[in-house]
Amino acid sequence: MTVLRLPFILMLAGVLGLAGCSVHQPVSLYQLDSGSPAQPAQSAGMAVLLGPVTVADYLQRETLLQRQPDGSLQASVDGRWAGSLSSDIDQLLLRQVAGHLDSQRVVLAPATVGFTPDVQVLLTITRLDSGESQPAILDAQWRLIDRRGQVRDNRIIHLQEQHAGGTAAQVQAQGVLLQRLAEQLSVALKPLANQPPIAEVPRKPAAKAAAPTAEQEKQPKIPMASPIRTDMEVFRF
């Protein structure tokens, strides 16, 4: 009886194994292409605080989304992000901006204690996606704040990049868009590198006592009482 059941058990195990393989298809993991940014050499270059970098809510997930012809978004069935997309964007922009400015003093927000930036970049990314038949599109806005707290530049960016259609090509195109964003941002930052130092506000001199007016000078002055020491204390006026 045991011998007769053995082929059936082996066949059943094979069928279940094939079913499992058909359900659990391998999923590829993707990271943004950072390109080949130059290694910054200046340790005393321009000080830039990059961030906060705000990424749209729909991008806050590991799922790689695909833009459809009707404008809707669907989760990719064969790929997802290898980790946090927001962190990937931060690191790509950091390396690209530091390379374009040739400065080792480009840091991500929040800044460490004692770091005084020449410029702070407030960046918002409202769209970064693509589809098999849709180009990669990046929509963003930046504001540049100088060391005095004044807004020196405010710009809305729309970038677009074509691709070959596959998932890997789409991810590469999105990386290229972020590289172009970093390049344009660096061009806007460079004129703010030579800001004059903030002068200390001079202290106001102590207020002088107001001079007596003519009316006050005309009023008769009342002599002050002065004690005279005798057997008893008498006050003269």
Side-chain angles (χ1 to χ4, degrees), residues 108-126:
L108 291 171
T112 56
V113 177
F115 181 78
T116 304
D118 297 317
V119 185
Q120 181 178 7
V121 180
L122 304 180
L123 180 62
T124 301
I125 296 176
T126 56

Side-chain angles (χ1 to χ4, degrees), residues 3-227:
V3 176
L4 294 176
R5 288 181 178 179
L6 184 59
F8 175 76
I9 294 173
L10 293 175
M11 182 179 66
L12 181 61
V15 171
L16 292 176
L18 292 175
C21 293
S22 62
V23 172
H24 299 287
Q25 295 293 338
V27 177
S28 300
L29 304 180
Y30 294 95
Q31 282 186 311
L32 293 169
D33 183 9
S34 299
S36 301
Q39 179 66 28
Q42 295 189 49
S43 59
M46 185 178 184
V48 177
L49 180 60
L50 185 58
V53 178
T54 305
V55 179
D57 290 341
Y58 81 95
L59 296 172
Q60 303 284 351
R61 61 187 69 205
E62 293 183 1
T63 306
L64 201 158
L65 298 177
Q66 297 280 279
R67 181 73 65 173
Q68 304 302 309
D70 61 358
S72 63
L73 291 167
Q74 292 185 6
S76 174
V77 296
D78 62 348
R80 62 183 178 88
W81 296 111
S84 169
L85 177 60
S86 297
S87 178
D88 220 8
I89 292 174
D90 288 346
Q91 293 299 323
L92 187 155
L93 294 175
L94 174 68
R95 287 173 170 77
Q96 284 286 331
V97 172
H100 286 297
L101 297 179
D102 189 22
S103 173
Q104 292 277 3
R105 302 176 67 201
V106 180
V107 302
L108 291 171
T112 56
V113 177
F115 181 78
T116 304
D118 297 317
V119 185
Q120 181 178 7
V121 180
L122 304 180
L123 180 62
T124 301
I125 296 176
T126 56
R127 179 177 177 181
L128 179 63
D129 56 59
S130 57
E132 186 175 351
S133 58
Q134 304 298 315
I137 292 179
L138 169 64
D139 287 333
Q141 180 181 16
W142 75 54
R143 295 174 64 199
L144 305 184
I145 314 296
D146 67 11
R147 61 178 64 173
R148 291 176 173 81
Q150 298 178 349
V151 179
R152 299 294 295 272
D153 189 36
N154 183 44
R155 197 172 307 180
I156 297 175
I157 304 296
H158 175 82
L159 301 174
Q160 186 168 310
E161 183 75 13
Q162 297 293 334
H163 54 79
T167 304
Q170 293 179 49
V171 173
Q172 184 178 16
Q174 293 180 25
V176 169
L177 290 179
L178 288 166
Q179 295 173 36
R180 289 168 56 189
L181 173 66
E183 182 179 4
Q184 294 187 21
L185 177 59
S186 301
V187 172
L189 285 169
K190 286 180 178 179
L192 304 179
N194 300 316
Q195 298 180 52
I198 300 177
E200 293 185 0
V201 179
R203 295 183 178 180
K204 295 181 179 180
K208 297 181 179 180
T213 61
E215 292 294 332
Q216 291 174 340
E217 291 181 349
K218 291 180 181 180
Q219 294 179 0
K221 296 181 179 180
I222 302 175
M224 297 293 294
S226 57

